[in-house]
Amino acid sequence: MDSKKKKTIIAISVTAVLAITVGLIILILNRNSQTAKVGKFFTGPAVFIEIPDKMDKKDRSEFELGVFVTKLGKDIYPAASFSISFDPSKLEFLGLEEGNVLILDSDTPAGENLPEWNVDVETSNKTGLINVMYLDISGKDKGFSQEKLYDKDNSLFYLKFKLRGSVREKEMYEISFKDAVFACEDDSKSLSMLSKKLKTKDSFVMILDN
Amino acid sequence: MKRKLLLFFLFILLAFSFTGCKGFEVGVNEQTASYSDRMAIPEDGIVSADVFKDLKETKQVVTFEGESKGIKYEWTVFGSEITEPKDCNLLVTIIKTSESAYIFNFASEEDFGFTPLLSIYSGDNNEGKVASLLEVRGNESAYLSDVYLTGTNSEILNVSYDSQVGTYIIEISDEEEAIKMASADSNENESVNEPANEQKASSNSESITESKTESKTDSEAYKPDEYLSKSTSSSSKVITGTGKSGESADAPAGRVLSDGSRTDKDQYLTDPVPFGKPQPVEPENQVVNKGKALSCTFSIECTTILNNLENLNPDKLDVVPANGIIFSAQTVTFYEGESVFDVLSRVCSENNIHIEYSWTPMYNSVYIEGMNNLYEFDCGQGSGWMYKVDGWYPNYGCSRYVLTNGETVEWRYTCDYGSDIGGHYAMGE
């Protein structure tokens, strides 16, 4: 082996060792940073409603609260439903906006599609309970799957609200899950709030103290 | 040259392929994350100014999770409210004193500079109940605001206010009972100004009279014997009693806690001990069990002097540590039945810290005149040493406070009668 080749091999080896060392350091730093940042909430499947910034009681503009999912199980969930309560005397529910979580859909070229959520806005405002539901009626496994979730920002849908004139300064209005389910054909594998296999985290709207 | 360039690119390529670029994405993800905004409060409680700076810039709403003695709590911080990002200590000490009362205070009394929401997970079913936030002011308590109950069983207690100084109470009461109490309370106006109470609350007599005859406002003061028992709010909410007369709140073995029923000073001129706090034990009645070693966290500091150097006796400049810490917080052992003074004198002796004290028969306790050569009045008329146990400044001498296992004792130097360290109420004002 001539000296040129030797030098090249040594140079590449040194470079590789350096790169691996740098990579390891970055990974360790990154891991520590994540440990410190993330709370215990993220350890299992969970859904939660985004908490909005404090609002002025005079603000009558529409605002959206994302409903997010952190992770799912290994199965496919062809149905999902969420019952979310709010105070209809303080907040007006205006409807849903689609999120970015997709369902599996073998009928599309990409093999994925947006879920069609069902909700009755009028009834929700009468009862103070928003029932949102998705159901795969095709029987073709068009369901939710972990593989369609990203690391962050897994929004199922957005709830659109508006403050009513009755809101008061410094008050707090809860928007909370009464039920949440990702259903499997085999019910024992379903994730649900009531069976405690799906964590939930509620939200609230706080009114500014002017 | 070409070879060097090639090697450089090879190096970069290898580094990125190994880490998957993750290390370089952290900052970006933190900035753009829309919901992963739940962070665990670090062990020391301090969340850095950089984090708050990020929140301010991105206007994120972030929740910080913590736990105090098995009670989970969260801070919800609104990025849009942050004006001047700085390090903030988010640790909260929470003690459940009875089925319906929580006492809490903050590790740091420095204002955050914004108004976060504190949510305490009580774990109890509070449906059909109401709750109020009270501030402890010596032997009195003052209504501050309503507490919002959320969660499936109204188990989460939410409070929002902008001061981290002092000790606070969340009082939960039955809604119907509260209405009845409000009604009964209004019928008992005339019995309010009993002689004993007048004597006790001389400085507050005016506000007390007003509070019973007119619609009450926030930050009213209440009489000592009404501590947690008869206060009403501007929204007509009534705080019902947590401790029945003659009963003590949940107490560690051997310790007697105040049930809040006493209204007058004891024989050693001690004001009534607030509900849920340990009653003083006279030194002559203290029994030390040297067969049982316990531990507590102990510290001595005079950091307030650093902010009041203009008032400091110039001769004492040399004895003030640069960081104000004379004895950093650490676990020390003591024997069952020993008082705060016993532990203090041992700590000072073992660590060569100067201490001077005198026995005050009138208070049946020692009085700490100076430590580390820093004496009362060395930093202004209102300066001197005070002690704090688990967030509360006892209103009696340190040789009458018998420690229990696991408590945190802080000796702090005040430059302003305790108000600069959140202990003004212990001065009997």
Side-chain angles (χ1 to χ4, degrees), chain A residues 42-99:
Chain A
F42 281 102
T43 52
V47 286
F48 57 95
I49 310 168
E50 180 182 11
I51 298 170
D53 208 348
K54 287 183 185 175
M55 302 182 73
D56 191 301
K57 68 171 183 176
K58 291 174 187 162
D59 190 349
R60 293 289 172 273
S61 56
E62 180 182 311
F63 62 95
E64 292 180 349
L65 301 183
V67 176
F68 297 92
V69 58
T70 57
K71 67 158 94 164
L72 294 169
K74 292 174 185 169
D75 302 283
I76 293 171
Y77 305 89
S81 72
F82 306 94
S83 294
I84 298 164
S85 75
F86 69 105
D87 184 348
S89 68
K90 305 291 182 183
L91 301 172
E92 182 184 356
F93 176 55
L94 302 172
L96 288 189
E97 189 79 39
E98 63 195 25

Side-chain angles (χ1 to χ4, degrees), chain B residues 56-127:
Chain B
K56 175 182 158 68
E57 284 169 2
T58 56
K59 294 189 176 176
Q60 286 185 82
V61 180
V62 173
T63 304
F64 295 90
E65 300 175 340
E67 198 170 298
S68 170
K69 298 180 180 174
I71 300 171
K72 190 184 157 199
Y73 64 91
E74 290 176 350
W75 288 102
T76 303
V77 176
F78 299 87
S80 62
E81 291 196 331
I82 299 169
T83 48
E84 288 178 23
K86 58 182 178 185
D87 289 357
C88 291
N89 191 329
L90 299 185
L91 284 188
V92 185
T93 302
I94 306 167
I95 299 167
K96 186 176 184 178
T97 57
S98 74
E99 281 306 307
S100 56
Y102 290 80
I103 293 182
F104 63 97
N105 65 4
F106 306 93
S108 166
E109 287 162 349
E110 250 187 76
D111 272 354
F112 296 154
F114 51 88
T115 312
L117 179 82
L118 175 64
S119 303
I120 297 173
Y121 285 69
S122 72
D124 299 327
N125 187 337
N126 296 320
E127 282 199 74

